[in-house]
Amino acid sequence: MKLYWCPQTRSLRALWMMEEAGRPYERVLVDIRKGGQDTPEFRAINPMGKVPALTDGAARLAESAAICAYVAERCPEAGLAPALGDPARGRYLHWLFFAGGCIEPAYTQKFTGLTLPGGAVSAGWGSFERVADVLEAAVESGPWLLGERFSAADVMVGNDLYYGLHLLKIIPPRPAFLAYTARCAERSAWKRAQAIEAAGA
Ligand SMILES: N[C@@H](CCC(=O)N[C@@H](CS)C(=O)NCC(=O)O)C(=O)O
């Protein structure tokens, strides 16, 4: 597998996922600050011209959550996704999709102060406050979103909560968020991904 990434971007989620999966992979730096995403070769992999992206033989994909789901299925030995037919797969998919579908737009709303004519009922993510409250309830018993079992959904949600708390500082520092993101940051794959980021930056 080849991961197309750039330090200090959303591609950290896919990088962390590759480190969790534990299989050898190749990293290709796409420097989005120098227009590296604007080449025909990269657009053929991700027409959006955004990192992360992944190729695996003839397979090519982008979108962080899709990459996490793909890698979890490609590397079943890492145990990063409940198997087909396991009821835990319901919540796994729920949280995997929640990151892009609810957390990201809620952050954007918080940053921009955007108000929608139909309010929280018509916004797909409800509101920033609703997303924060739902996430707090999801991570407070822990240790992971699926209980004892760490999954690719924690990569997406854990990364977004970590950065919402510590970098963007828009997530309120409630004890459940602090404890959950500290657990994420203790993982050896997280530490390896951070070291790769630091070296790449
Ligand atoms: N929906 C994508 C978002 C990826 C994204 O926004 N990447 C940004 C960096 S954080 C990017 O590559 N921007 C370059 C550009 O738009 O030209 C995902 O979740 O993977």
Side-chain angles (χ1 to χ4, degrees):
M1 285 183 277
K2 247 188 214 183
L3 175 69
Y4 296 79
W5 74 295
C6 181
Q8 292 164 9
T9 68
R10 288 177 179 85
S11 59
L12 175 58
R13 302 181 288 202
L15 178 62
W16 179 17
M17 182 67 195
M18 298 309 290
E19 291 297 321
E20 290 285 352
R23 288 230 194 139
Y25 67 98
E26 188 184 333
R27 276 188 304 279
V28 180
L29 176 66
V30 178
D31 192 341
I32 63 164
R33 295 168 186 99
K34 292 186 178 157
Q37 71 278 40
D38 294 326
T39 64
E41 293 76 20
F42 186 64
R43 294 274 170 167
I45 298 165
N46 184 6
M48 285 289 284
K50 286 184 175 288
V51 288
L54 186 83
T55 57
D56 178 26
R60 43 188 58 191
L61 63 149
E63 291 302 319
S64 304
I67 292 172
C68 287
Y70 181 92
V71 172
E73 283 168 21
R74 185 78 165 77
C75 308
E77 71 282 2
L80 294 164
L84 286 176
D86 181 337
R89 200 165 167 87
R91 275 289 178 246
Y92 163 72
L93 292 171
H94 174 122
W95 294 121
L96 197 58
F97 283 74
F98 191 83
C102 294
I103 302 176
E104 283 241 2
Y107 281 12
T108 303
Q109 181 179 33
K110 184 79 174 169
F111 263 130
T112 59
L114 175 78
T115 52
L116 295 176
V121 173
S122 67
W125 63 96
S127 65
F128 178 85
E129 289 69 26
R130 198 191 295 185
V131 167
D133 289 348
V134 163
L135 282 172
E136 182 181 24
V139 301
E140 71 188 346
S141 53
W144 308 113
L145 290 165
L146 303 183
E148 291 302 319
R149 173 175 197 169
F150 181 86
S151 74
D154 291 296
V155 171
M156 288 298 298
V157 172
N159 182 87
D160 287 3
L161 274 177
Y162 188 94
Y163 281 91
L165 262 173
H166 299 293
L167 192 79
L168 307 173
K169 299 190 190 303
I170 55 174
I171 283 285
R174 299 178 190 164
F177 292 142
L178 292 168
Y180 174 69
T181 54
R183 286 192 290 276
C184 290
E186 276 162 18
R187 295 185 69 83
S188 52
W190 166 279
K191 290 179 186 163
R192 285 195 301 276
Q194 292 290 346
I196 294 165
E197 285 267 308

